[in-house]
Amino acid sequence: QVQLVESGGGLVQAGGSLRLSCAVSGNIFSINVMNWYRQAPGKQRELVALLATSGRTNYADSVKGRFTISRDNDKNTAYLQMNSLKPEDTAVYYCKADLSGGRQVWGQGTQVTVSS
């Protein structure tokens, strides 16, 4: 059974950086795609970045060039490096695993707050 736990959120000033981590337990070989989503108050949840097993990545236009998704297979951890943070990046960030067979597993989220 795959489980995800996010960490690394916090308060940062505009222009600063944070690195979010998503620790994965269970059958990591069943994961096809790792995703980072975010949801701001009063807004819909949106896909921020994804990383497929093949190495293919995709980013939302709003974060392209500032955020980087990566993984460390030895540590069973996915990351979201966030640079040049803006107040509009403030949200709860979630990692999500797309598993073989079409199942999805979500983490509980970590709060990122960017002050101006």
Side-chain angles (χ1 to χ4, degrees), residues 16-49:
S17 298
L18 284 174
R19 188 176 74 164
L20 306 183
S21 298
C22 178
V24 181
S25 62
N27 184 12
I28 63 172
F29 301 106
S30 68
I31 299 175
N32 294 326
V33 181
M34 289 298 303
N35 310 260
W36 284 98
Y37 286 79
R38 69 184 181 187
Q39 187 165 24
K43 302 291 185 180
Q44 291 184 316
R45 187 171 298 185
E46 65 173 339
L47 178 65
V48 176

Side-chain angles (χ1 to χ4, degrees), residues 6-76:
E6 301 98 333
S7 62
L11 176 64
V12 64
Q13 290 186 323
S17 298
L18 284 174
R19 188 176 74 164
L20 306 183
S21 298
C22 178
V24 181
S25 62
N27 184 12
I28 63 172
F29 301 106
S30 68
I31 299 175
N32 294 326
V33 181
M34 289 298 303
N35 310 260
W36 284 98
Y37 286 79
R38 69 184 181 187
Q39 187 165 24
K43 302 291 185 180
Q44 291 184 316
R45 187 171 298 185
E46 65 173 339
L47 178 65
V48 176
L50 65 83
L51 173 62
T53 304
S54 64
R56 175 187 177 90
T57 60
N58 197 19
Y59 297 91
D61 288 340
S62 59
V63 308
K64 193 171 299 182
R66 300 188 297 120
F67 291 11
T68 303
I69 186 171
S70 63
R71 65 177 183 266
D72 186 333
N73 291 332
D74 291 336
K75 295 183 177 180
N76 296 332

